Each structure stands twice: as structure tokens, then as C-alpha cells.
Amino acid sequence: MTRLTKMLPLVVLAVLILLPYSTVGLPGVFEGSLNSPGTLQMLAICLVFGGLALGYDLLFGRAGLLSFGHALYIAAGAYGTDILVSHAHWPLWAAVAATVPAVAVLAALLGAVALRTTGIAFAMVTLAFAQVGWIVVNRDPGGLTGGEEGLPLDSAGLPASLVGVANTVNLYWVALAFLLVVVVVVHGIDRAPLGRVLTGLRDDERRVSVLGLSAYRLKLGTFVLAGALAALGGAVHALIVGGASPHLASADLTLSLIVMAVLGGAGTRWGAVVGGVVYAYLDQRLTQVGGALPGPLSQPLFILGTLFVLAVYFAPGGLTGVLKRRGRFA
Amino acid sequence: MSTVILLTLTGLGLAALYFLIASGLSLVFGLAGVLNFAHGLFLSVGAYATWWAAPRWGLAVAVPLGIAAGAATGALVEVVLIRPLYKRPTEQVLVTVGLSLAGVALLQSVWGADPRTYPRPAWAAQVTTIGSAQVPDDRFLLIGTAVAVLLALLLFLHKTRYGLVIRAGVENRDMVSALGIDVRRAFTLVFAIGGALAGTAGVLGGMYFGSVSPGQGASLLIFAFIVVVIGGLGSVTGSAVAAVVVGLLQQFVNYYGAAGAGDVSVVALLALVLLLRPSGLARTAVTA
Amino acid sequence: MILEVRDLSVRLGGSHILQGVTFDVPPAGVTALLGRNGVGKTTTLRAILGEVPATGAVEFGGEPVLGRATHKIVRSGLGYVPEDRCVFGGLTVAENLRLAVRGADPDYDTVHELFPELRARAGQRAGTLSGGQQQMVAIARVLLNRNRLLLVDEPTKGLAPAVVSAVAAVLGRVAEQVPILLVEQNLAVVRRLAAGAVVLEAGRVAWTGAASDLLGDAGRTRTLLGVGRS
């Protein structure tokens, strides 16, 4: 059983790597065959959200920081990359390489202020900071962000292998690579002594302070790392959907990250990843089939929000918690 | 001069909306310890109830109905969803998050995502001349209502037994229970009051903006959060003062500065307050 | 016995704070609950009050109370004077007292007789009172109602010696009317007030008996309470 559990992530990875070579269709689950561009793009978005949710869970599930402003860093990554590529005509790699550290600096500055508060006040402050991002993006300063329409990514600045419907598969690889990066980073932290210190921080801050570690610096470091991962994810997201949209900066996006982490099982190894993938899949799939459903069921957020509320009551450990319990009793 | 008068009264009108939302949020958080993301939903429910009822029965019935709908939603949410999670604050926040997502989607499925024209009394559409400024009368409606609500709330908090329980509960609710008082009944009450005030804000906001849409509550809610933090969690008077500061700052900077600068300056103010008295804020947050 | 505590256990955040505490409180006089810092005295009181989840059994006046809501347990006649007093600093003295009134017939006479100062300071915010005055408010709160037992947690902590003696005198007079379970570090106060004593050690009862037997034996006092002088 334990050996199987250990192998399972590798098996899933192998399946994910081989998936674009499959022409199998899953009617009802996906509209086209697995290797059709539509399905691959949908899967790529799911993988990106898996990574984004796990990055968020570094804050929420591991360090116990209830940030309501994570969308800011995702949007900063997406818009930063997009603006450098589309307006300044930088090559993609340079744009990403410049944007991610810049966003990390932004996270350090804002985190330094926000982390002076704790608990609910911290949640409110991060929310307020992110709201500024949302306002700025929507106001389209100097024509940079494209306002409510968003900013399409100028394909002239992209490598040819990432342009065009035929190359959707490459975007899928990029998304998978991003998810891998986040998993490696976050699980690396989990295994390192730092991980135990972080969860110690979540459970009882005083205990960590007693150990002679500065709780503030630890939290700030985590905040910055999570911000950098978010920025990378934002850039990948912009690449996959072909631009940055104001929705990335909205409070709703952060709320959905929380939903993903909790639905999957916050603070667990794979919970947030599973939650992110499942949420992103349902969100897209329900939008596709939504028109056919009656009344409120036509709204993906109604179904997801309701599911989430039910999960908080009846499945406190999230999806992975439920599976684990099943596994134990089966 | 006329611009200053108009900006001041418009800023105060906005402050009135912020106060109506923030005072309820602040009381709910101060007493029950719940950061209520569903507060925007209470607002939307109130706004839509009045919008729906006005063409049928007229505003005289529709407005009280909207306020009552907000109050009922607040009380219902507390009893059904929040109460079972007592002493689990993170889960409570999560539930209100889920509720706000699902609730807005529900409203959207019934009335669509597009803004609907909002009814208002004929006199609120007129203007009054003050000095050289032409001030729309709806500003006075908003300001007048907020002042009346503030006075009524203060009277309630300081002159009634329930008000006493709420003020004490904001300081230390465990001790209120240890005096033999069922403090949870007061929780339901503050949710109902918060819902009623949010419903009022929904109705007035609809009249002020001239339209209502499902997401309206959520966008006002964020500024109300800022008002709550600046004003001090759990303090009604603090909310009133902070609402005025935020409303005026936002209006004036938006007019004289770049587009959106007013909104940004409000957040800058928040950061400033946090930097100057972080422990003060944290202390409020912890003891409340 | 007015209060019977049987096998009371409390776990908080993974640590087993109380591990089967058993003792009785007789229906008259002062019973002292003693022990070194962190042995679970305050937790015992809070578990009796239903403020922390506990297992075991607690009978108050012959009725099981464990698992009931705090406000219901208190209303059945249990007064609580918490550690650090917990008066409401933003409320006036009069409001603090009014909040505590449970029945239709609050005993303001006793309160004003014992604490004439509180009448003079009725309009003052409790947060601006001295520690001793706040302790008066905290004790006055339980005297307004007809209680069958008082739980009093470290009433002399942080007070000036003269005030300690005044508080002890008040508790002595109160104990003539209603039994008290008293947590107290000041052994002089214990000696003056308590008839019975229960000593906790690491979440268990280590010793039960007459307070004079405990305090009269310097060796026993030292082993159980960790204090040399009496």
C-alpha cells in the first residue's frame, strides 16, 4: 500500500507526459480526443491552476497565512510578461526572467507591511493591496494593460514553437513543467527542516519564536517565494490563453484559489494540486455545458461555491482527506 | 468652490454607503469574530428585493422589504451556516467565501449579469442649489440615512440590554458567557442588524448608482473592509469616522488626480495606518 | 457535596493538560485548589464552567453539568471570578455590574456595603480603575446574584499587600454565605481562608485534605507547592 502510494505520483506523471500522444476520446469528459488542441489547452489550464493552488497552499495550508491578495502576484506575472513582450518587444524568456524577480520584490515590499498584522487583519490588508492591482489593471494606465479587454500577447515576440493551434501541445508541456517546478519547490520545503518550522508557525507562533527564529522573517520569506511562484504561473497562464485579462487580478481569483486548496485538502502533499486541477476542470467544463443546465446550475460558480460550502462542513480534509479515509477502510 | 461643495457632498454620500456596510461588518467581526465575505451578498439581496418589489407595490413597501430581506438573509446565514462552526474561525471565513461566490452566481442566474435600472423616488432625482453648486438630492438621502442609522445604532448599543451585551461581547465574549448570558443569541442579532444595514446600503446604492448588478456588493465590500480596519474592528463610531475620511479622500483624489488615483490613495492610507499603529490594530483584532 | 469532580480530563492542542482529576467541594467554606504554575488549576475551573472541552463527570448540586453550555451552567448558580479579573474595560462600572445581573432581584446592598467605592465610581470606565478596584468589580459581579458556589481564580494576583488583605477579608465574609473554590498562590491568604485543600500536580490530584494539615507541614508544602517558606 505504501509503496503504491509512493509510486502513484510517478505513474500520474508518466500518464501526463504520454497523454498528448493518445487519440482516445472520453465523450462527456472532454469534447475532443485527448490530443486535440481544445482538450490540451483545457488540460494545460488545469495543470497551471494545480501549480497556482499548490503555491498558494504554501501560504495558506503550510504557513497558515490566510492571504486574500494572491491574485495580485499572478496578475503581475501575467501582465509583466505580456507588457514586456507585446509593448517592449522583449524575447519571452527575458520577459519572464525580468518579471518573476520583480514580482518577488513587490511581494517583499507589500508583505513587509501586511505581515505586521496577523489573522483576519492580514487577510483584509492583502485583499486591499490586491484591489489596487485590480483597479490599476482595469484603468489601463498609458494603454499598457488594455483595461477591461485585457492585453493580448503579441505572438511576434514568441518562439515559433509556442505559436499556433498545432503547437498547443508545447503549451501543455510548459504548463506541466510549471506544475513540476512548484511541486519540487513546495515538497522540497516540506521535507526540509524549514517545512516543520513553517507548520510550527501555523500551529503556534510562540513555539517558533522560542526556537530563536524570527517568525516575521520566516513568514516574509514564504510570502515572497509564494509570490514568485505565482508570478511564474501568471506568465505561463498568459502564454496558454494568449494574453492577460483583468480577471487574473480579481479578488474572485484569490477566492477560487482558497476554494481549490480547501476542496483538495489544505496543507497536504497533493491536496491543493488535486483541488486546483479539479476546480479548473469543472469551471471550464461547466461553462461548456452550462447552457444546457436549468436555472442556477448554469452558473459554474454556483455549483463550485455550493460544493465548497458543503466540503467545509462534511469533508474537512478535502478530496484527498476523503480518499485517504476511503483507502484506510477499504 | 462649487466643485468643492459637490465633491464634499458626493464624498459624504459615498462615505454613507461605506459606513452602512462597514458598521455591520465591524459589529459582526467584533462580536462573533467572523470576517464576513457574504456581507456583499446581504447587500445584493436587499437591493434586488427592492428592485423586484418596487414596480409591484411601490417604493414605500419595497424599501422596507429590501431591508427586511437583508436582515433575514443575515440571520439565516448565521443560524444555518456560521453557528455550527463556532470556535473554528477559518472555516467560518471559508463558508462565507463560498456563500459569496455561490450567492452572486445565483442572483446572476435569476436576473442576469447586466446592470438593471434602479427605481428611485422622484425627488431624489432633482438637484438642490447650494452656493453655486448643483447637488443631486440623492446625496442628501444617503447622508441623512447614514446619520440616522449612526444615531440609532449608538442609542441601541448604549441604552439597551442587548447593546450592553454586544459591547461587552466585542471585548471578551467568553466572559459574557461566564456571566450566564447566551452570547450566541447576540450573534444572530448582529448578523440581522448587519444584514439590515447592508440591505439599506444596497437599496441606497442602487438609487445612487442608478442601477443594480449581482457583483455590486462585492466591489463596495472591499472598501468597506478597508474602512473597518482603519476604524478599528468592532467600533461603530470608528467605522463612521473612517468612512468619512475614506469617502472624501477617494472623491477628491479621483477628481484632482489621475483616474483611479483616489482608490489607490485609500489603500495607501490603509498601509500608513498599519505602519503607524500595527500593534494597536493587531491588539484590536486579537481581543475582539 | 456541592461540587463533585470525577476523572476530569482535558486535552488542548495535543497536550494532555488534565489527566483524570477527582475531588469534592463541600457546601460551606473555602476549598483551596493549589499547585505549582501550569499544573492545570485554571483549566480545571474552566472545564467545570464548560469553557474548554473535557471528559469525565462534573456534578454541581447533584446535577451533571459537563457538556452543557457555559451560560446555562452559570445560571444554575455558579459564580466565576476569573484570573486577571476580565472586567470590561470599555464599559462603566455600573454597566459592568448591570451586565452581570441574572435575576429580577440583584443584591446591590451587599455590593455597596462591601465596596462603597464602586458606588462612587459607577460612571467611570472600568478600564481606568486600579487593579484592586477591578478586582472589586469582578467579585461584585458574582455577589449580585444568588449563587450556590463561587469559582475564584487568583484574586490577589498582582495586588499591593494592603489590597490583598482587603480582598481576603471580603472573600472571608462572602464565604460565610456561599462556598468558594479558590485558586490562590498566596499561602497566607490560603491559610486565612481555606478549610480544605486540593493539590494538583501535572494534571492529577496529588493530595487532598485539610488546609491546615498541608500548610502546617513545611516539608509537604515544599514538595507539593514548591515553596520553602510558609
Side-chain angles (χ1 to χ4, degrees), chain B residues 41-188:
Chain B
L41 178 66
F42 303 170
L43 183 151
S44 299
V45 167
Y48 273 100
T50 297
W51 172 83
W52 177 83
R56 290 170 174 77
W57 303 310
L59 278 175
V61 176
V63 171
L65 186 83
I67 297 171
T73 312
L76 195 70
V77 164
E78 197 278 330
V79 171
V80 177
L81 293 174
I82 304 291
R83 184 163 289 195
L85 298 174
Y86 185 57
K87 285 184 178 168
R88 287 162 65 191
T90 304
E91 275 91 342
Q92 286 179 332
V93 177
L94 297 180
V95 162
T96 67
V97 165
L99 197 61
S100 72
L101 293 176
V104 169
L106 183 64
L107 290 175
Q108 203 162 314
S109 73
V110 179
W111 285 299
D114 298 327
R116 302 288 188 128
T117 312
Y118 212 77
R120 57 169 146 184
W123 59 266
Q126 292 167 350
V127 292
T128 299
T129 308
I130 297 178
S132 53
Q134 304 271 313
V135 182
D137 281 350
D138 55 7
R139 299 333 187 240
F140 300 109
L141 175 66
L142 265 65
I143 298 167
T145 309
V147 170
V149 164
L150 173 62
L151 293 177
L153 261 183
L154 289 178
L155 265 179
F156 167 75
L157 286 174
H158 288 270
K159 298 294 171 200
T160 66
R161 169 88 182 163
Y162 266 113
L164 187 61
V165 170
I166 290 171
R167 279 191 297 141
V170 168
E171 275 192 47
N172 184 345
R173 59 192 140 127
D174 283 349
M175 193 58 223
V176 174
S177 304
L179 292 175
I181 296 161
D182 185 1
V183 76
R184 291 200 213 180
R185 224 189 293 167
F187 288 8
T188 317

Side-chain angles (χ1 to χ4, degrees), chain C residues 8-227:
Chain C
L8 191 66
S9 290
V10 172
R11 284 172 191 276
L12 284 178
S15 43
H16 204 166
I17 299 180
L18 296 186
Q19 311 180 15
V21 167
T22 296
F23 66 91
D24 292 333
V25 178
V30 174
T31 306
L33 183 60
L34 305 172
R36 294 172 221 229
N37 281 329
V39 293
K41 300 176 302 249
T42 296
T43 305
T44 305
L45 296 193
R46 297 190 62 202
I48 293 169
L49 276 164
E51 285 192 347
V52 291
T55 57
V58 176
E59 287 204 354
F60 175 48
E63 269 186 54
V65 295
L66 211 61
R68 293 176 65 186
T70 299
H71 68 272
K72 286 184 182 158
I73 299 176
V74 170
R75 273 190 212 161
S76 67
L78 193 62
Y80 180 42
V81 181
E83 195 182 5
D84 300 324
R85 319 194 243 281
C86 292
V87 298
F88 300 99
L91 273 53
T92 64
V93 170
E95 284 174 334
N96 265 283
L97 297 182
R98 205 182 329 137
L99 185 68
V101 170
R102 295 205 300 264
D105 183 25
D107 189 1
Y108 274 105
D109 293 342
T110 305
V111 167
H112 287 144
E113 187 210 326
L114 286 173
F115 309 113
E117 209 180 337
L118 293 186
R119 182 176 242 167
R121 295 183 181 271
Q124 190 178 336
R125 274 176 177 239
T128 63
L129 296 173
S130 72
Q133 290 160 343
Q134 290 191 359
Q135 191 63 64
M136 290 178 196
V137 174
I139 296 174
R141 282 196 301 213
V142 298
L143 298 183
L144 288 167
N145 304 297
R146 225 153 266 140
N147 285 312
R148 292 183 291 162
L149 174 68
L150 303 183
L151 307 180
V152 182
D153 197 352
E154 303 225 16
T156 67
K157 187 176 156 192
L159 300 182
V163 186
V164 168
S165 156
V167 167
V170 166
L171 289 176
R173 281 200 50 193
V174 171
E176 291 165 14
Q177 309 293 325
V178 49
I180 296 178
L181 178 60
L182 175 72
V183 172
E184 179 59 71
Q185 296 282 9
N186 185 326
L187 294 186
V189 173
V190 175
R191 192 186 305 275
R192 176 163 162 191
L193 296 174
V198 176
V199 181
L200 294 186
E201 203 170 65
R204 293 174 208 275
V205 173
W207 191 87
T208 317
S212 53
D213 284 351
L214 174 68
L215 298 178
D217 182 337
R220 188 177 278 159
T221 310
R222 187 161 43 243
T223 0
L224 289 171
L225 304 178
V227 280

